[in-house]
Amino acid sequence: MTNDSKRHQFDLFVIGGGSGGVRAARIAAGHGARVAIAEESRYGGTCVIRGCVPKKFLVYGSRFPDEFHDATGYGWTIGKTSFDWKTLIANKDREISRLEGLYRSNLEKAGVKTLAERATILGPHRVRLASGREITATTLLIATGGRPVMPGTIDGAAEHAIVSDDVFDLAELPRRTLIVGGGYIALEFAGILNGLGSKVTVVFRRKGLLYGFDDELATRLDAALQARGIEIRRERNLRSIARRGDGTRLVTLDEDSATIECDAVLMATGRAPNTSGLGLESIGINIGPLGRIPVDEFSRTEAEDVFAIGDVTDRMNLTPVAIREGHAFADSRYGNRPWIVDHANVPTAVFTTPELGTVGLTEAEAVERHGVVDVFRTEFRPMKSVLAGGEERMVMKLLVDVSTDRLLGAHLLGPDSAEMVQVVATLLRLGATKRQLDETMPLHPSAAEELVTIRTASVRRFRERNTLDIV
Ligand code: FAD
């Protein structure tokens, strides 16, 4: 830190009041720093306002048809059901506003000066607020997050398509929705809208969904989503989107000019860091691909006394990661306790129905890095759906390094996978071995007991031979 803190109005100025920025500001203030934070939209950021939290409410809402269906197998008679989108959105909005208030009041309680306007960087130690006011601070922390990107190559996309932010405020549930993209955000919305009653088609340019996730589970999820009525068109691109007089959209695909008629087109093709117009050039920060800010393990940028955390650095775009990066920054800079965030073995979920939970290496990564890997897999019908007559299978897969017996990754598909994977993440962190899993007493009857009762590997994979050997 430079030695001129008394010359500035604040010790720390945080740009962006999302997951990472809020945590950093609160912890720094707790360590005695004089902190200000600026938020141009709503405190809470992407996760609270237009990401994880409202999405999970919609996911819960979308799963009730399954409950109604299953109930009949348990002797219940369910009367006529109906769904009202406006009620769900209004209830969601009320909770989001409550959380937003909480974020802001917690900052204020911690002694942080909160500002409700955009901030841009003017030069070293200097920011300008949208109102024109200038502020100086010893340290700047950039926590501006990311935003959905609308591809410029599709005619009519900017005018006639929506992005994930917009779904949370739609006036009505679209009768037919075309979703462009094969990543987790695209699929989560596909699951939500399908569950709530929209006819969903997913179009994406790759062969397989969920690039970067375990291939086998992604393929199983693909099949499960199709079985639930979601149409999936792979290796396709959009050429144009037109709006007709009655408000419906006519989408033309690139390759064979096939057309798809729908009521809403959701572009979920990627996100980009929020760095444009931020004034980074005034402090000599050169941005990386898509606009991300390069940082070292302590979240230091190439400019002195300027740090960046969260999605704007495009390291691992998840809320808990942004929060940890903010916390580590604040402890390191103001708490005399330097530490860095370990980005390995971060658990994550895809909140589709069925949901996917994943932690550690994928099968392909495990084999590539560890040479010889045992794949322990099991699949079964979740107990609850037995009486209900459901056909969906739960799939669990554990990857184990043959030379050390250590667990390398876990990939689950089915009910409560996210909840289970959170706990498995601790096992990975502790370096648990397969033997230790075998020694753990199962909890019966549960789905999770399968994690400690898979006795034999279904395949052993070798990097060198590139073969699949059945054990
Ligand atoms: P953000 O939370 O995006 O906060 C950045 C803030 O900075 C914003 O509020 C923005 O308005 C503000 N800002 C930007 N520029 C300025 C400026 N110049 N001046 C003032 N303010 C500015 N993650 C999970 O872990 N689990 C999930 O299930 C999950 N689901 C998601 C679902 C969706 C649909 C989306 C879009 C994201 C999801 N994420 C999820 C990702 C998660 O939301 C982000 O990783 C997280 O919010 C990143 O936090 P952040 O602090 O880096 O940025």
Side-chain angles (χ1 to χ4, degrees), residues 15-21 38-42 45-47 50-52 55 117-119 143-146 164 184-185 189 271 274 278 310-311 317-320 322 351:
I15 308 179
S19 307
E39 168 53 55
E40 67 175 343
S41 173
R42 295 175 69 182
T46 303
C47 179
R50 47 193 172 267
C52 340
K55 169 196 83 185
E117 49 188 315
R118 181 172 168 81
T144 50
S164 63
Y184 87 93
I185 292 179
F189 281 110
R271 295 176 60 79
N274 269 331
L278 199 56
D311 284 10
N317 299 333
L318 292 167
T319 289
F351 289 103

Side-chain angles (χ1 to χ4, degrees), residues 324 339-347 359 406-408 422-432:
R324 284 280 164 94
W339 60 281
I340 56 173
V341 175
D342 181 357
H343 292 90
N345 293 330
V346 174
V359 62
R406 276 169 75 154
L407 187 61
L408 299 174
Q422 172 66 85
V423 180
V424 177
T426 307
L427 297 180
L428 256 78
R429 179 112 209 128
L430 295 174

Side-chain angles (χ1 to χ4, degrees), residues 33-148:
R34 298 169 302 147
V35 184
I37 184 168
E39 168 53 55
E40 67 175 343
S41 173
R42 295 175 69 182
Y43 276 92
T46 303
C47 179
V48 175
I49 310 296
R50 47 193 172 267
C52 340
V53 177
K55 169 196 83 185
K56 192 85 187 270
F57 286 131
L58 300 196
V59 168
Y60 284 131
S62 73
R63 289 182 176 167
F64 280 92
D66 280 8
E67 299 292 325
F68 302 146
H69 172 271
D70 288 358
T72 57
Y74 286 84
W76 290 92
T77 301
I78 303 287
K80 188 171 159 8
T81 58
S82 64
F83 169 69
D84 182 42
W85 170 261
K86 287 190 168 61
T87 303
L88 174 58
I89 296 301
N91 290 344
K92 178 267 293 176
D93 285 345
R94 193 170 335 107
E95 175 58 11
I96 298 307
S97 296
R98 188 186 72 84
L99 290 174
E100 180 188 358
L102 218 56
Y103 266 73
R104 203 166 166 160
S105 64
N106 282 342
L107 281 165
E108 283 158 5
K109 269 189 229 150
V112 176
K113 169 84 183 150
T114 59
L115 301 155
E117 49 188 315
R118 181 172 168 81
T120 49
I121 300 168
L122 279 182
H125 311 290
R126 286 169 63 218
V127 294
R128 178 188 284 144
L129 300 174
S131 54
R133 189 173 147 204
E134 289 186 21
I135 291 182
T136 67
T138 312
T139 301
L140 303 183
L141 177 66
I142 304 169
T144 50
R147 61 174 198 291

